[in-house]
């Protein structure tokens, strides 16, 4: 099926992928590509007639600097709607004959914007109305530069007291720019504004639906793979599990899953993975116990990035060994594996691409995007690489996977390796596994009186972190000198920003008491009350 689409050109903003998520939430397909693609590339991208609009992202740069990226000029020549966001608006203004300057007063955070001019983009969209009858929007600003002169043909669409030109519009050419960020949840009407642009102004057909996507994806996998065999690295996480279920739906026994138990999984997780995929889905799964291999290479290593790279490297080594065994038929399985399947999702692709192009600052590496296929001598199959996490979950439910499995909280690829601060040791992992299981169990048991939901469902991600420090305690009449763990629970809609969850004291008291009493070796429990930003969700 040929979907109508929106092209998002990325100038290096850390929240560019939020634009794509908001567009996808309107059931419209979109893709993110670097801003420095050529005019010819964009013409080729648009030649099938399905490109309905272009969005220019934000950036940390200043458009008036000679070395700064500009939008490909063809963007303004295709005759389709264009929306510039923050830096994207400044690029539009600068390139079409306006003027952008460094502002005397920077705007970061909440702002109230007056909507002006009854443009197609903002008409009848407001958070509140002033006594004078002016429609106002509560938005999120993040800029130092500002447009001081509009290009010919544009009019003011929005303004604030410190930013008189906070939105511009050329209705005839359907060009719009906003200085604020409609993609973040802090802009209350952000989704409505983006929906207005994508569905109303661009007239894009909302046909991107996960239930319908299954048949498309299954057919695509069958065409790619044919009668060849596929190996999939099954971690037990949401992404690899949904990828496995989707590929199994498409090609059945042509798929063999390799489940690597690296010794850094959650409590009893390995057994649960085998029960689901072998016992219920009847998929072929080879379980590899590689705990000693992984922990041996991690000994003495404390740097988070070094740990991630070691774990990624050892996954490659395990897959090399298993691929060789499968090709030789040493396990009584098929011969001649030609494909490696991965649960890569779209944020991995965007972030890795941004790091490679240096458009965005790299926060952390992703072990599942890179040179695996070349090292293994296999072709790459990534059936989820166009999907965001929420779309992957929807797809998993549509495929019949259990709701509890699909909506489990995110778990990092390196597992507990990045939830143990500093050096990773087996006894640390054993302590952390038990403490974390208690925390998750109590979150599932404890219900909020007002909503009736469990606190596991009310939090977006919750986990325990092992701190490699000891503290003095007292148990009975004796002195203890044991380890400390930190509980972490956050609430977020997009994982780009997150607030720490205000868990009930009674719940925290129950969790702390159980961990200290039941996990010998831990005598102190703390709770992390930092939000993202400035902190990240994971500690490493």
């Amino acid at each position: 099926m040929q979907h109508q689409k929106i092209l998002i050109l990325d100038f290096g903003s850390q929240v560019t992928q939020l634009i794509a998520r908001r567009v996808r939430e309107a059931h419209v397909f979109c893709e993110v590509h670097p801003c420095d693609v050529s005019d010819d590339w964009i013409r080729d991208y648009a030649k099938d007639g399905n490109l309905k609009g272009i969005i220019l992202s934000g950036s940390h740069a200043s458009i008036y600097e000679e070395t700064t990226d500009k939008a490909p000029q063809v963007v303004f020549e295709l005759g389709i709607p264009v929306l510039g966001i923050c830096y994207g608006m400044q690029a539009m203004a600068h390139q079409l004959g306006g003027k952008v300057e460094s502002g005397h007063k920077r705007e970061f955070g909440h702002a109230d914007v007056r909507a002006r001019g009854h443009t197609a983009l903002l008409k009848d969209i407001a958070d509140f109305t002033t006594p004078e009858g002016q429609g106002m929007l509560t938005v999120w600003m993040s800029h130092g530069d500002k447009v001081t002169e509009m290009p010919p043909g544009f009019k003011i669409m929005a303004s604030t007291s410190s930013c008189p030109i906070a939105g511009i519009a050329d209705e005839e050419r359907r060009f719009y720019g906003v200085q604020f960020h409609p993609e973040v949840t802090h802009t209350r009407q952000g989704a409505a504004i983006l929906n207005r642009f994508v569905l109303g102004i661009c007239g894009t057909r909302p046909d991107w639906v996960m239930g319908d996507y299954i048949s498309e994806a299954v057919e695509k996998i069958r065409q790619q793979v044919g009668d060849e065999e596929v190996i999939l690295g099954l971690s037990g996480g949401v992404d690899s599990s949904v990828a496995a279920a989707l590929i199994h739906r498409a090609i059945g026994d042509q798929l063999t899953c390799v489940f690597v138990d690296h010794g850094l999984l959650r409590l009893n997780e390995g057994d649960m993975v085998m029960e689901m995929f072998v016992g219920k889905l009847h998929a072929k799964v080879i379980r590899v116990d590689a705990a000693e291999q992984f922990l041996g290479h991690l000994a003495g290593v404390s740097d988070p990035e070094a740990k991630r790279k070691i774990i990624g490297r050892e996954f490659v080594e395990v897959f090399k060994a298993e691929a060789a065994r499968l090709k030789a038929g040493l396990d009584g399985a098929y011969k001649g594996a030609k494909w490696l399947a991965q649960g890569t999702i779209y944020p991995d692709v965007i972030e890795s691409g941004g790091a490679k192009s240096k458009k965005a600052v790299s926060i952390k590496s992703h072990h599942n995007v890179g040179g695996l296929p070349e090292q293994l001598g296999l072709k790459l199959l990534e059936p989820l690489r166009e999907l965001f996490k929420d779309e992957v979950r929807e797809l998993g439910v549509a495929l019949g996977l259990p709701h509890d499995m699909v909506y489990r909280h995110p778990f990092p690829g390196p597992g507990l390796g990045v939830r143990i601060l500093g050096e990773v040791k087996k006894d640390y992992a054993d302590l952390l596994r038990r403490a974390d299981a208690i925390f998750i169990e109590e979150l599932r048991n404890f219900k909020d009186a007002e909503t009736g939901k469990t606190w596991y469902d009310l939090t977006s991600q919750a986990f325990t972190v092992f701190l490699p420090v000891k503290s003095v305690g007292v148990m009975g009449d004796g002195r203890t000198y044991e380890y400390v763990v930190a509980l972490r629970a956050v609430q977020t809609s997009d994982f780009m920003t997150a607030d720490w969850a205000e868990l009930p004291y009674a719940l925290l008291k129950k969790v702390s008491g159980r961990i200290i009493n039941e996990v010998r070796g831990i005598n102190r429990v703390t709770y992390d009350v930092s939000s993202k930003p400035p902190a990240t969700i994971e500690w490493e």
Side-chain angles (χ1 to χ4, degrees), residues 286-341:
I286 296 171
R287 182 173 182 173
V288 183
D289 184 356
E292 288 188 12
Q293 176 179 338
F294 278 80
L295 292 171
H297 286 285
L298 288 167
V301 179
S302 59
D303 179 73
E305 271 297 284
K307 290 192 293 184
R308 286 177 180 273
K309 288 174 180 175
I310 287 169
I311 293 170
R313 183 192 71 208
E314 292 311 306
F315 266 111
V316 172
E317 294 305 313
V318 171
F319 269 103
K320 281 182 179 177
E322 289 306 312
R325 290 178 63 83
L326 289 168
K327 287 178 180 178
L330 296 180
D331 291 299
Y334 56 79
K335 294 183 180 181
K338 295 289 191 293
W339 294 85
L340 171 68

Side-chain angles (χ1 to χ4, degrees), residues 7-116:
L7 172 61
I8 300 166
L9 293 180
D10 180 21
F11 289 88
S13 169
Q14 290 289 348
V15 293
T16 296
Q17 64 174 269
L18 289 187
I19 305 172
R21 282 198 56 187
R22 300 294 170 253
V23 174
R24 295 280 187 90
E25 286 167 3
H27 301 294
V28 170
F29 183 68
C30 64
E31 290 185 320
V32 176
H33 288 279
C35 61
D36 56 2
V37 294
S38 68
D39 284 9
D40 287 342
W41 185 93
I42 292 180
R43 288 192 185 94
D44 186 64
Y45 190 79
K47 70 181 181 182
D48 62 3
N50 286 317
L51 181 60
K52 295 297 182 181
I54 296 175
I55 299 177
L56 309 177
S57 85
S59 173
H60 56 276
S62 294
I63 188 65
Y64 46 76
E65 295 176 355
E66 286 188 16
T67 58
T68 303
D69 286 311
K70 309 297 188 291
Q73 198 59 33
V74 72
V75 165
F76 307 111
E77 299 169 358
L78 291 174
I80 61 175
V82 181
L83 172 63
I85 294 174
C86 194
Y87 179 93
M89 167 177 142
Q90 295 168 9
M92 178 185 292
H94 177 80
Q95 292 179 232
L96 295 180
K99 189 172 183 180
V100 179
E101 298 178 339
S102 177
H104 297 296
K105 181 179 180 182
R106 301 191 301 172
E107 282 188 304
F108 292 95
H110 290 284
D112 288 332
V113 170
R114 177 185 170 188
R116 292 175 174 267

